[in-house]
Amino acid sequence: METLLTPGGTFASFGGQLGLTDPAVADAVRRARAPFVEEDTFGSPDGTTDEDALRWPGTELSTRPGLQDVRQRVIGRRTTLSADEYVAHLATISAYLVLAPADLQEVLARVRAVLPERVSITGDITLHLARRR
């Protein structure tokens, strides 16, 4: 990847997952989806967690000999969505997309039934920067 950068050039990676802010709502959704979807988030490939000082892909970037000055910043983001918007978001997640069409419709209906009309969402974005030597 670093060969795509000019010397001194910067690589940037950013991403994150959306989650329900209210633990009671998150628990209700977890129970509603349980017969179909055990987990709808995904961990990092190297096992790092939100508590680690440097998360993936920063951990991988820091091992690349052609890169230096690896940095990580977390940009806090909170918003609200309608229940229908949140369910539409779930319908784009792999854990749901692998379900048979009838099961997908059933789990989304079950989740929608336990949601308030508006849900608070945490969607922090993790930014990783690295510079080519």
Side-chain angles (χ1 to χ4, degrees):
M1 117 188 47
E2 55 268 22
T3 58
L4 298 174
L5 298 170
T6 59
T10 301
F11 170 85
S13 167
F14 54 92
Q17 300 179 57
L18 296 182
L20 293 162
T21 304
D22 184 328
V25 174
D27 189 50
V29 167
R30 202 172 5 267
R31 287 190 315 271
R33 74 167 193 244
F36 303 93
V37 175
E38 182 178 332
E39 183 61 53
D40 64 1
T41 60
F42 55 91
S44 68
D46 68 355
T48 53
T49 68
D50 290 350
E51 290 74 39
D52 290 308
L54 187 62
R55 300 180 218 160
W56 186 88
T59 51
E60 183 178 333
L61 295 171
S62 67
T63 67
R64 310 267 316 199
L67 296 175
Q68 62 186 5
D69 300 330
V70 176
R71 296 184 213 162
Q72 174 180 289
R73 298 287 185 269
V74 177
I75 302 159
R77 186 173 61 139
R78 306 292 181 273
T79 191
T80 58
L81 297 175
S82 73
D84 291 335
E85 289 170 327
Y86 182 71
V87 169
H89 162 70
L90 292 180
T92 69
I93 295 174
S94 298
Y96 294 86
L97 291 173
V98 298
L99 297 173
D103 289 344
L104 174 61
Q105 292 309 311
E106 177 67 21
V107 70
L108 294 178
R110 287 180 182 211
V111 168
R112 177 60 183 91
V114 300
L115 292 173
E117 286 305 310
R118 302 218 38 95
V119 293
S120 177
I121 301 294
T122 300
D124 295 349
I125 297 171
T126 303
L127 168 67
H128 289 97
L129 299 170
R131 193 166 43 85
R132 181 173 175 197
R133 295 185 188 274

